[in-house]
Amino acid sequence: MAQQTLKALEFPQLIRILQRFTRSIWGRRRLARLQPSSDFGEVQILLQEVEELSDLTAVEGPCPFEGCLDLTPILKRLVAPGSLLLSEELNQIVAVLRLISRVQRYLRGATDRHPHLNRYRQRLRDLSDLKKAIQVAISPYGLILDQASEELCRLRAEISTTRQQINRTLHQLFGRVEYREVLQDQVISQRNGRYVIPIKADFKGKVTGIIHDQSQSKATLFFEPFEIVNINNSLNLLFGEEKREEERILRHLTNLVRAQYEVIQEDLQILGEFDALQAKVAYAEEFKARTPTLIRQGRVRLKQARHPLLLYRDREEQGFHATIPIDLELTPSERFLVLSGANTGGKTVTLKTLGLLCVMVQCGIPLPVAEGSEVCIFDAIFADIGDTQNLAQNLSTFSAHIKRTADILAKLQGRCLVLLDELGTATDPAEGGALALALLRALGRTGAYGVATTHYHLLKAFAHEEPGFANVAVLFDDRTQKPLYRLAYGVAGPSNALSIARELGLPEEIIAEAERQIGQEGMQALQQLARCEAAQQHLAQREQLIRQEEENLRRQEEKLAVVREKLEQERRQLLDEGRQAMVKAIRQAENEFKDILTRLEDRQDSWGRLRQEFTTKQRQLHKRLVPKATAVDRQELSLALGQKVFLPALGQTGVVASSPDKEGRLEILVGAVKIRLSSDEIKEVRAGDELGRIYRGRWHGGVELPETAPWQSSSLNIIGLRVEEALPLVDRLLDQAVLHGCRQVDIIHGIGAGRLQQAVREHLRGHTLVKQLHHGEQGQAGRGVTVVEIKD
């Protein structure tokens, strides 16, 4: 893409904003070389990389990218044969190798959903051996370590031993008589790489040795006694060998780095690409940018688009929402827009917004737009914006515009985007308008997409009639005389030159003179045209609002569909879980019931106790399987105190004796029995039934019903029945007796072998409703009858 177009669209300024988010010189250099691509697949990959890294960053956090130093000077010296890297430079290489390892570890968090990030990790070469070789030899402070080589270790050990020998020898000299009055101080120092001691200048002939230096006062001489001359010579030889060994180690490490020169260069390039990718993600996060949908059809739909440079400026000064968004759309049926309207209304900004956002997409940069934006890929983008006067080529503004337009027409091939600002200006209006019209026709024949700004009515009328072209206006508030910075499609915009001049403070006499020059008829025509265009703008605004409402409704319907689908999935899941829980509860109850039957057959417990346990288990199972009544159901059941109700579980009627407690249970009186039940265990008796009267009798309580409850008999004949047949009948008799307030019942079992009598009596002795047992009187057949007294 031509640099002239990128410059006109202010793409270099955008790159400088992006570079603020980089964390290395390599990333900044990579962004500086960034160019838009016209390959659909390549652009798709670039945008997918941004999506993948954004997803990974949300989980893992930003990649640790510290320590990416500029190795350019080091690598340049490395190319020269025989060059030697210093230990500090080798440590800089280690810092970059550590960064490569950190990036590789970070990218291990990528999954199958991040195929492009995985390729970054695979492209980075492992240089851990080189890093380890340098770290073994060089300390973090740039010192060559003893462990760098065996020879260096041996030499430094000898140097240490030799120094100790010098120290011992000098301390021995300090103790001699001839040195006591000569010494200035018992201090060992160095001069010219040799160990010396300070002596008084007046006694320089008293001891033998070599004088290497004197103090500034000349009162002290730095003296090397002959006793340590040979040892100093040996030490200096060792220093020389140490230096040569250190140089050999540095040369060896330099050669190791040189052998990996190309790999390091490639890794640095990859780090630069990854840092540039991180900058795109950080930019998107900072400016609420997103990757638009990439489409192959020739259509651009940018919703709530903001100009990136204005957004950056406004965010720094006023905040993100200070930048007013616009909607931009190009379609195959309306691929070229003629943009008109008042000066200062935002026409040029609209032009640049469209061009810059399309360039950003083709560079893989997220856009500050709303969700639902779509962009196609253009084979080329051309822009002629602003004053292109070229003094060097002796071209006027008009000539420069014409030359630029001619160049554009010559290069149009494939799907192209053309952006032209103030087409046909800087010359005679009549000729300029005609020329602009001819240029638009030529662009239309090529099938180009684009936008041209104008004030010519001739071009507005052309766009209204010509297929493939459409008018669009920047809106202007006639009441406040200020631009609204919004677009209205399908209408042409008035220039409002005189109104804007008046608003900007031009003297009124000049405005009046201009109006007189136009003339009465001209002013009326302009006013009429302005009213027509204002009406068109108003209608366009209404249509736009309707479209927005329709779009909002469509989005709400889509959201509701998603919610419905989610609720349906949750319902199916809850049903499945409920079925599984029911099956589990039923199987558990079956096992418990089988256990009760087994204990009954083996006579491990009495029938009464086992029956109570069975009833309890049955009630628990019923509670788990039968859903509780909802709050709405309970509210619909309106029961008054003393109202007659039916209890389906018992097949009996009763009367409400209390209001609901905290758990919503009611106290029901059935005969002499007081029962607490939830409202879902109670049925209302049909309307019109007489209410019962609650009373307190000699027992816990009772109820007097309008009709006497049915009671068959207070005695039970079980003669001839088996034990397992008789005991359930005995329990039923006791239940009926309690419900009907009967205090005593007779059980006729006969005498016979006594098994039935014994079983009945054992069963009744452990029964919770039985107060006392005794044989019947002679009139009751004596021992063949058991009289049961019921508990109060």
Side-chain angles (χ1 to χ4, degrees):
M1 187 172 296
Q3 292 301 313
Q4 185 177 357
T5 293
L6 296 179
K7 184 178 179 181
L9 295 174
E10 301 176 292
F11 184 67
Q13 290 90 314
L14 174 71
I15 291 298
R16 286 195 286 273
I17 293 174
L18 271 175
Q19 287 175 328
R20 294 172 179 264
F21 295 93
T22 59
R23 301 163 71 182
S24 71
I25 185 64
W26 306 100
R28 289 190 286 277
R29 289 173 180 169
R30 177 70 183 89
L31 286 175
R33 299 191 303 271
L34 194 61
Q35 290 289 320
S37 170
S38 58
D39 183 272
F40 185 91
E42 183 179 349
V43 174
Q44 194 172 40
I45 290 174
L46 291 174
L47 294 175
Q48 286 174 353
E49 286 178 349
V50 174
E51 288 290 320
E52 290 180 15
L53 184 56
S54 179
D55 181 57
L56 184 62
T57 302
V59 177
E60 301 289 341
C63 177
F65 219 82
E66 295 77 16
C68 191
L69 306 174
D70 185 7
L71 299 184
T72 304
I74 297 174
L75 296 178
K76 282 183 179 179
R77 288 205 307 108
L78 197 64
V79 176
S83 58
L84 185 69
L85 296 182
L86 302 178
S87 56
E88 294 82 3
E89 294 171 324
L90 290 168
N91 271 341
Q92 291 181 41
I93 291 174
V94 168
V96 174
L97 297 182
R98 286 199 191 100
L99 173 61
I100 293 172
S101 299
R102 287 199 300 272
V103 173
Q104 287 175 321
R105 284 196 298 272
Y106 178 80
L107 291 175
R108 289 194 191 108
T111 63
D112 295 339
R113 296 185 296 108
H114 312 103
H116 300 97
L117 293 186
N118 283 324
R119 280 197 285 273
Y120 271 97
R121 178 172 56 83
Q122 293 163 5
R123 288 170 60 201
L124 285 171
R125 303 282 290 278
D126 184 13
L127 294 172
S128 56
D129 291 341
L130 176 60
K131 179 178 66 175
K132 183 177 179 182
I134 298 175
Q135 288 177 317
V136 167
I138 308 296
S139 78
Y141 304 102
L143 302 175
I144 301 177
L145 301 172
D146 296 352
Q147 64 197 30
S149 73
E150 293 182 1
E151 179 63 15
L152 183 63
C153 184
R154 182 190 67 77
L155 288 172
R156 287 182 175 176
E158 288 190 23
I159 288 171
S160 177
T161 301
T162 305
R163 281 173 172 165
Q164 292 175 7
Q165 184 180 356
I166 291 173
N167 281 325
R168 285 197 304 269
T169 302
L170 290 176
H171 280 93
Q172 290 172 1
L173 292 178
F174 291 159
R176 291 183 184 180
V177 176
E178 61 268 28
Y179 278 91
R180 289 178 184 172
E181 60 177 354
V182 174
L183 286 174
Q184 190 73 268
D185 197 357
Q186 292 187 8
V187 175
I188 300 172
S189 59
Q190 283 186 311
R191 287 294 185 276
N192 302 321
R194 302 181 72 87
Y195 284 91
V196 295
I197 58 176
I199 66 171
K200 299 173 183 177
D202 297 337
F203 294 91
K204 64 179 180 180
K206 297 293 184 180
V207 290
T208 58
I210 303 170
I211 297 174
H212 289 278
D213 198 4
Q214 65 180 355
S215 65
Q216 290 184 352
S217 65
K218 298 184 180 181
T220 303
L221 301 175
F222 294 97
F223 178 74
E224 179 184 5
F226 280 139
E227 287 84 351
I228 65 168
V229 169
N230 289 333
I231 307 176
N232 263 333
N233 291 339
S234 300
L235 183 61
N236 281 337
L237 290 174
L238 289 171
F239 281 147
E241 292 182 36
E242 179 193 29
K243 186 176 181 180
R244 286 189 292 274
E245 180 61 18
E246 288 178 347
E247 183 179 339
R248 188 195 66 79
I249 292 169
L250 290 176
R251 192 170 302 282
H252 170 69
L253 294 175
T254 301
N255 289 333
L256 291 179
V257 175
R258 186 178 285 113
Q260 300 292 340
Y261 173 82
E262 292 184 359
V263 175
I264 294 174
Q265 284 278 45
E266 290 175 6
D267 277 0
L268 288 174
Q269 295 298 326
I270 296 168
L271 287 180
E273 292 175 21
F274 187 72
D275 190 23
L277 178 59
Q278 280 198 138
K280 293 178 184 179
V281 173
Y283 169 82
E285 177 70 21
E286 182 74 17
F287 292 98
K288 300 179 177 62
R290 55 171 45 87
T291 56
T293 301
L294 208 61
I295 59 174
R296 295 185 181 275
Q297 298 89 345
R299 186 174 70 250
V300 175
R301 189 192 317 179
L302 299 173
K303 296 183 176 182
Q304 299 292 291
R306 290 177 167 88
H307 192 288
L309 302 185
L310 291 181
L311 183 62
Y312 177 78
R313 184 201 66 187
D314 293 343
R315 187 187 64 90
E316 294 290 326
E317 298 175 0
Q318 306 172 54
F320 177 85
H321 295 287
T323 306
I324 300 174
I326 57 174
D327 292 333
L328 288 164
E329 186 168 6
L330 299 176
T331 64
S333 60
E334 294 181 348
R335 64 180 185 274
F336 214 104
L337 302 178
V338 174
L339 180 59
S340 57
N343 289 305
T344 72
K347 295 191 299 297
T348 302
V349 171
T350 299
L351 208 65
K352 289 184 175 181
T353 300
L354 174 61
L356 185 55
L357 293 187
C358 288
V359 170
M360 288 173 65
V361 166
Q362 296 184 206
C363 290
I365 304 172
L367 307 182
V369 296
E371 187 177 356
S373 297
E374 299 174 329
V375 184
C376 67
I377 300 301
F378 291 102
D379 296 311
I381 299 175
F382 301 97
D384 182 23
I385 301 173
D387 188 355
T388 58
Q389 185 181 61
N390 192 322
L391 297 179
Q393 296 182 11
N394 196 27
L395 292 176
S396 67
T397 299
F398 175 75
S399 301
H401 278 301
I402 293 300
K403 187 176 186 307
R404 175 64 178 151
T405 307
D407 290 340
I408 292 173
L409 284 170
K411 295 176 182 177
L412 287 179
Q413 188 174 0
R415 183 192 295 158
C416 298
L417 178 67
V418 180
L419 305 171
L420 303 173
D421 192 23
E422 300 294 350
L423 187 60
T425 56
T427 188
D428 178 80
E431 293 182 0
L435 185 58
L437 179 60
L439 287 172
L440 285 183
R441 288 186 187 277
L443 290 170
R445 288 193 295 269
T446 65
Y449 289 69
V451 179
T453 66
T454 188
H455 291 284
Y456 292 141
H457 295 299
L458 181 64
L459 301 188
K460 300 175 189 178
F462 168 77
H464 184 71
E465 300 292 339
E466 186 73 10
F469 285 78
N471 276 306
V472 61
V474 289
L475 297 179
F476 192 81
D477 192 332
D478 291 326
R479 182 176 56 83
T480 62
Q481 294 296 304
K482 291 183 179 180
L484 298 175
Y485 303 108
R486 293 202 304 270
L487 300 181
Y489 284 82
V491 297
S495 297
N496 291 329
L498 297 181
S499 299
I500 293 173
R502 182 178 283 112
E503 181 68 21
L504 293 175
L506 196 65
E508 188 62 35
E509 59 269 17
I510 297 177
I511 304 291
E513 177 65 23
E515 291 175 345
R516 285 195 297 273
Q517 288 294 328
I518 296 174
Q520 183 66 27
E521 293 182 0
M523 284 300 300
Q524 289 178 353
L526 286 177
Q527 291 171 1
Q528 184 66 27
L529 179 61
R531 283 193 292 270
C532 290
E533 291 177 335
Q536 283 184 319
Q537 287 192 7
H538 180 70
L539 289 174
Q541 285 182 274
R542 294 294 301 271
E543 290 178 0
Q544 187 174 6
L545 289 174
I546 291 172
R547 284 197 298 269
Q548 289 178 352
E549 290 297 327
E550 290 176 347
E551 181 68 16
N552 291 336
L553 287 173
R554 185 187 63 80
R555 290 179 183 174
Q556 291 296 329
E557 289 176 356
E558 291 176 353
K559 290 180 180 179
L560 287 174
V562 172
V563 171
R564 282 196 294 269
E565 178 62 25
K566 185 177 179 181
L567 290 175
E568 180 62 23
Q569 290 178 358
E570 292 178 353
R571 187 187 69 82
R572 289 195 294 266
Q573 182 179 355
L574 289 173
L575 285 175
D576 292 341
E577 292 175 354
R579 291 191 190 98
Q580 294 174 7
M582 290 174 64
V583 170
K584 183 178 179 181
I586 291 171
R587 288 176 180 172
Q588 181 180 351
E590 287 178 349
N591 295 331
E592 292 172 347
F593 294 160
K594 289 177 181 178
D595 178 63
I596 292 173
L597 291 174
T598 302
R599 287 156 55 195
L600 178 63
E601 292 173 356
D602 296 341
R603 297 185 180 180
Q604 297 177 9
D605 282 311
S606 66
W607 165 256
R609 186 172 297 135
L610 290 176
R611 184 179 182 281
Q612 291 179 23
E613 183 178 347
F614 182 86
T615 302
T616 301
K617 298 291 184 185
Q618 188 180 31
R619 189 181 302 112
Q620 291 173 351
L621 179 62
H622 181 270
K623 187 176 181 180
R624 292 181 65 181
L625 297 184
V626 178
K628 294 181 179 180
T630 63
V632 176
D633 296 333
R634 288 194 292 270
Q635 290 170 3
E636 289 177 352
L637 186 61
S638 177
L639 299 174
L641 196 65
Q643 183 171 342
K644 184 178 178 181
V645 293
F646 177 69
L647 312 181
L650 299 177
Q652 299 289 332
T653 55
V655 168
V656 178
S658 73
S659 300
D661 59 13
K662 293 181 179 179
E663 298 178 359
R665 296 183 303 173
L666 298 163
E667 186 177 273
I668 308 298
L669 290 177
V670 183
V673 180
K674 189 188 330 179
I675 306 173
R676 282 199 173 272
L677 298 172
S678 60
S679 59
D680 56 334
E681 297 176 285
I682 302 170
K683 299 291 184 182
E684 282 188 274
V685 177
R686 64 182 180 274
D689 284 351
E690 184 181 352
L691 297 180
R693 181 177 61 83
I694 303 170
Y695 70 90
R696 297 292 168 186
R698 47 193 290 184
W699 295 297
H700 292 297
V703 59
E704 179 183 329
L705 299 175
E707 297 178 0
T708 305
W711 171 249
Q712 295 176 351
S713 174
S714 62
S715 64
L716 173 65
N717 187 344
I718 59 174
I719 296 175
L721 298 178
R722 295 193 300 272
V723 172
E724 57 269 22
E725 296 174 337
L727 294 182
L729 297 178
V730 171
D731 286 332
R732 183 173 181 80
L733 176 66
L734 295 178
D735 291 340
Q736 293 289 335
V738 170
L739 291 174
H740 290 83
C742 183
R743 297 186 60 193
Q744 178 178 303
V745 295
D746 299 334
I747 300 174
I748 305 168
H749 44 69
I751 299 176
R755 287 185 59 197
L756 186 58
Q757 176 186 359
Q758 182 181 359
V760 168
R761 283 181 167 271
E762 287 179 358
H763 176 62
L764 294 176
R765 286 192 187 99
H767 207 289
T768 56
L769 299 178
V770 175
K771 177 180 179 182
Q772 187 176 352
L773 302 174
H774 57 80
H775 293 296
E777 299 177 358
Q778 288 299 325
Q780 295 173 309
R783 298 181 63 84
V785 177
T786 297
V787 179
V788 181
E789 294 185 13
I790 307 300
K791 289 182 179 180
D792 293 340

